[in-house]
Amino acid sequence: MAVTEAVENYLETILILSRAQPDVHAIDICSYLGYSRPTVSIILKKMKDEELVNVNSDNHITLTEKGREIAEKIYERHNVISAFFIHLGVKKDQALEDACKIEHDLSPETFQLLKEHYLKLTGGLQEQE
């Protein structure tokens, strides 16, 4: 399975949820993303088969090293892009929405330059979500 935008969104969601609560379950992902349980279950099985997540006997979902690496990359992109947009004057809700739309498609070079420019302007980065 290729790591698609949808898979990146699931991995990012698992990362965000795991930072906010001790255990992540499929129902948590359903609630966060607004997807049905069958839809989430199908993707989780594929992600497990691709060794992006682990699901233990209590149905706790964790990221594998490979999954965490992808999730951290997307989450960083999301935070930098949304923070940059907010710095430009975009309202927070709109900045978060717009960041979600482009975080998957920027080249590594463009993202790195955007990040460097933002850090020069502000001196730091705070999580937006």
Side-chain angles (χ1 to χ4, degrees), residues 100-112:
C100 283
K101 293 176 185 174
I102 65 172
E103 65 194 16
H104 308 278
D105 295 325
L106 284 178
S107 70
E109 178 186 11
T110 300
F111 174 72
Q112 188 59 39

Side-chain angles (χ1 to χ4, degrees), residues 69-89:
E69 184 179 305
I70 295 165
E72 295 274 358
K73 179 188 90 167
I74 293 301
Y75 190 59
E76 178 189 33
R77 284 173 167 245
H78 180 86
N79 279 312
V80 170
I81 295 165
S82 59
F84 188 77
F85 289 165
I86 291 167
H87 182 76
L88 292 174

Side-chain angles (χ1 to χ4, degrees), residues 32-75:
Y32 190 89
L33 293 174
Y35 297 159
S36 70
R37 178 65 189 250
T39 299
V40 170
S41 294
I42 290 166
I43 297 296
L44 282 173
K45 182 180 179 339
K46 290 178 181 178
M47 290 170 51
K48 186 178 175 189
D49 291 345
E50 291 294 320
E51 300 180 349
L52 296 171
V53 297
N54 291 314
V55 181
N56 72 12
S57 60
D58 293 325
N59 292 315
H60 297 162
I61 302 162
T62 57
L63 296 168
T64 63
E65 187 175 325
K66 180 179 171 184
R68 179 167 297 282
E69 184 179 305
I70 295 165
E72 295 274 358
K73 179 188 90 167
I74 293 301
Y75 190 59

Side-chain angles (χ1 to χ4, degrees), residues 83-84 87 114-126:
F84 188 77
H87 182 76
L114 183 109
K115 178 181 172 182
E116 289 171 11
H117 184 71
Y118 175 77
L119 293 174
K120 282 181 191 175
L121 288 173
T122 64
L125 178 65
Q126 296 178 355

